[in-house]
């Protein structure tokens, strides 16, 4: 992807409400993520987003309000 295409893609994603996140992972983990791609999920971004959505939407009871706060 050339610089112009990348710039346009970033602008489009920001307009859609997305924010960039740089993530460095070991190559074996990248291979696992790539193996999870299918007809409905065609990119690494989509696989990672699906994994995070599944994880973040599962409700877990917290023992206290302090557990919810980031320190």
């Amino acid at each position: 992807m050339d610089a112009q295409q990348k710039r346009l893609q970033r602008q489009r994603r920001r307009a859609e409400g997305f924010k960039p996140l740089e993530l460095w992972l070991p190559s074996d983990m990248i291979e696992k993520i790539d193996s999870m791609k299918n007809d409905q999920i065609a990119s690494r971004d989509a696989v990672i987003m699906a994994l995070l959505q599944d994880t973040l939407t599962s409700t877990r009871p917290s023992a206290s309000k302090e557990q919810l706060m980031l320190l």
Side-chain angles (χ1 to χ4, degrees), residues 21-44:
L21 173 68
E22 186 174 18
L23 183 63
W24 292 80
L25 299 171
S27 58
D28 63 327
M29 192 174 291
I30 295 292
E31 289 173 14
K32 287 179 186 177
I33 290 169
D34 286 345
S35 73
M36 297 172 79
K37 293 189 241 178
N38 58 31
D39 293 336
Q40 291 84 25
I41 301 175
S43 70
R44 282 184 192 154

Side-chain angles (χ1 to χ4, degrees), residues 49-65:
M49 195 165 12
L51 290 169
L52 288 173
Q53 282 177 331
D54 186 46
T55 303
L56 296 176
T57 57
S58 55
T59 57
R60 289 180 240 152
S62 63
S64 67
K65 182 179 176 182

